[in-house]
Amino acid sequence: MGRDLRIDYLKAMAIISVILLHSFKTDYENSILGPYHILQAVPVFLLLTGLNLVNSFERKKITNLIYFYSLDQIAKRLKRLLIPFTIVWIFQLYVLVSSSGHVLKIKEVFLTFIQGGWGPGSYFIPLILQVVFGLPLLYLWAKRNPMNMLIGTFIINFAFELYAYYSYMPNEIYRFIFLRYIFIIGLGVYMAFKPNWNKWFEIGTFVSLVYITAVHYYGFKPAVQPNWSSQNVYAYFWPYALVIFGLSRLKNTASSIAAKVMKTIGEASYHIFLTQMVYFWAFQPFPTMRILYGYPPTKLAFINIFLCLIFGVAFYYIEKLLFGKIKIISLLKSKKTAS
């Protein structure tokens, strides 16, 4: 089984939604029913991460836990995630120091790196690292019994939400902990084993839909972290339903120009995410960019999407080209040494 292009298309929609989410103010977002679509971008992306990685594990027929945590596999995962992030982080560090003259201490520099740098969504970098390294455990759990894994992740996620709320966990800590997303990741793992719609989940989807509506439109204040009141265990059946719907409607082909563009955006989604993080962060040190916020929301959204996609895709291909050349050079050197 080859690459599932439908996942690339959904990842493309998710990353465009992230850009829209950071373009609109809350009132406008609510007016376009954003809580039901663009606000679900990160849960959708994490579900797709679980689905995609488990599909990869299944294709390779990997069931050995030692393999998942071998030095070679750890290095591959770290390289894929940390090389593009480090490039972005160094750029941000340079801009911050050169524009403000602020001298950063070594401890401060180290903390900014492990916290994902600066900009909206920076928490996602340490979060996705936790997800990628934790997924093999969920995968092996699901290999034994997918439903038990799903119930287990729900209980863990539910218990974490209650603990975070009643212990007054600061948002600065809460946002980095992947346990707040473990159920939606579990749904992605479950989907890899059970791709068809589970009718029992209709109840969960209805509850999630009612919950999201109550939080955003009727002032409901549940016992959850207030900054993420509609992105938690109670709401996750809704993004699951969105993905199921998308997979059922999209075709696993890329014959048209539009499909090829969306495929490219999906492939470059991580680099686009890093790009939008820097782009929106740049509104702070460069006041001239704030002029864009004077534009109507739709015009602003178009500009933001266009610029973030162009620079993000360029970033993806440049990194791919550079490290492809480095790989070729290292292979040539190793051949010369061997001969």
Side-chain angles (χ1 to χ4, degrees):
M1 185 174 66
R3 187 183 185 94
D4 192 338
L5 300 182
R6 298 174 303 166
I7 293 177
D8 285 325
Y9 300 148
L10 289 174
K11 284 167 66 178
M13 294 178 198
I15 193 58
I16 290 171
S17 294
V18 168
I19 298 168
L20 289 173
L21 183 61
H22 294 148
S23 300
F24 298 144
K25 294 180 179 179
T26 302
D27 289 344
Y28 184 79
E29 178 189 297
N30 287 339
S31 72
I32 60 169
L33 304 180
Y36 304 115
H37 41 87
I38 62 174
L39 201 60
Q40 303 304 320
V42 172
V44 164
F45 194 84
L46 290 173
L47 186 151
L48 293 173
T49 299
L51 173 62
N52 216 17
L53 284 178
V54 170
N55 284 340
S56 175
F57 298 157
E58 285 287 278
R59 284 195 298 270
K60 296 173 184 175
K61 301 187 184 303
I62 303 168
T63 57
N64 189 341
L65 192 61
I66 295 173
Y67 172 84
F68 287 118
Y69 295 103
S70 64
L71 289 176
D72 179 57
Q73 289 302 306
I74 289 172
K76 281 182 181 178
R77 285 177 234 165
L78 287 176
K79 186 171 82 168
R80 194 179 304 120
L81 292 169
L82 290 185
I83 287 177
F85 165 65
T86 303
I87 293 169
V88 162
W89 175 75
I90 290 172
F91 172 75
Q92 286 186 298
L93 202 62
Y94 170 77
V95 170
L96 186 67
V97 172
S98 61
S99 64
S100 66
H102 179 63
V103 179
L104 294 170
K105 296 178 181 178
I106 294 176
K107 182 181 178 182
E108 193 177 352
V109 170
F110 176 72
L111 281 174
T112 61
F113 184 82
I114 65 171
Q115 290 174 357
W118 298 268
S122 58
Y123 70 90
F124 186 78
I125 314 306
L127 182 72
I128 197 66
L129 282 167
Q130 295 171 70
V131 170
V132 168
F133 281 99
L135 254 170
L137 298 174
L138 295 185
Y139 167 63
L140 295 179
W141 188 0
K143 284 286 284 185
R144 295 190 174 195
N145 191 311
M147 184 55 73
N148 283 351
M149 179 279 304
L150 194 60
I151 293 170
T153 55
F154 177 84
I155 292 170
I156 292 168
N157 206 155
F158 178 74
F160 174 74
E161 286 293 347
L162 290 179
Y163 172 77
Y165 180 78
Y166 287 108
S167 67
Y168 301 100
M169 183 182 290
N171 182 54
E172 291 74 19
I173 296 173
Y174 174 88
R175 68 194 189 114
F176 290 116
I177 302 176
F178 92 106
L179 292 178
R180 70 189 181 99
Y181 283 119
I182 195 169
F183 181 53
I184 190 68
I185 298 162
L187 281 164
V189 174
Y190 179 86
M191 192 184 291
F193 288 100
K194 306 285 185 181
N196 297 323
W197 176 251
N198 186 326
K199 289 187 177 180
W200 288 103
F201 289 178
E202 290 179 6
I203 298 171
T205 302
F206 177 74
V207 170
S208 292
L209 184 60
V210 170
Y211 172 81
I212 292 168
T213 303
V215 166
H216 283 277
Y217 297 100
Y218 292 96
F220 177 55
K221 297 187 183 301
V224 297
Q225 222 288 343
N227 292 338
W228 309 88
S229 56
S230 67
Q231 295 181 47
N232 53 51
V233 66
Y234 309 112
Y236 288 154
F237 274 114
W238 179 248
Y240 169 83
L242 292 178
V243 172
I244 286 285
F245 178 79
L247 291 174
S248 69
R249 292 292 183 270
L250 295 168
K251 294 182 179 180
N252 192 19
T253 58
S255 53
S256 67
I257 294 175
K260 289 175 182 176
V261 169
M262 291 298 281
K263 174 179 174 289
T264 301
I265 293 170
E267 290 174 346
S269 57
Y270 180 61
H271 291 70
I272 295 169
F273 183 88
L274 293 171
T275 301
Q276 68 82 36
M277 192 175 82
V278 175
Y279 174 80
F280 288 105
W281 169 77
F283 280 87
Q284 296 175 7
F286 299 110
T288 51
M289 292 190 71
R290 295 176 195 165
I291 295 171
L292 291 176
Y293 276 118
Y295 293 153
T298 50
K299 186 176 181 180
L300 174 64
F302 176 80
I303 293 170
N304 291 346
I305 290 170
F306 179 78
L307 292 176
C308 289
L309 293 186
I310 290 293
F311 286 111
V313 170
F315 178 26
Y316 170 71
Y317 279 113
I318 290 169
E319 193 221 350
K320 199 174 179 180
L321 179 66
L322 288 176
F323 284 95
K325 287 185 176 181
I326 290 170
K327 192 175 181 179
I328 292 169
I329 292 168
S330 63
L331 285 171
L332 291 172
K333 284 183 178 179
S334 62
K335 284 182 179 180
K336 283 183 180 179
T337 305
S339 61

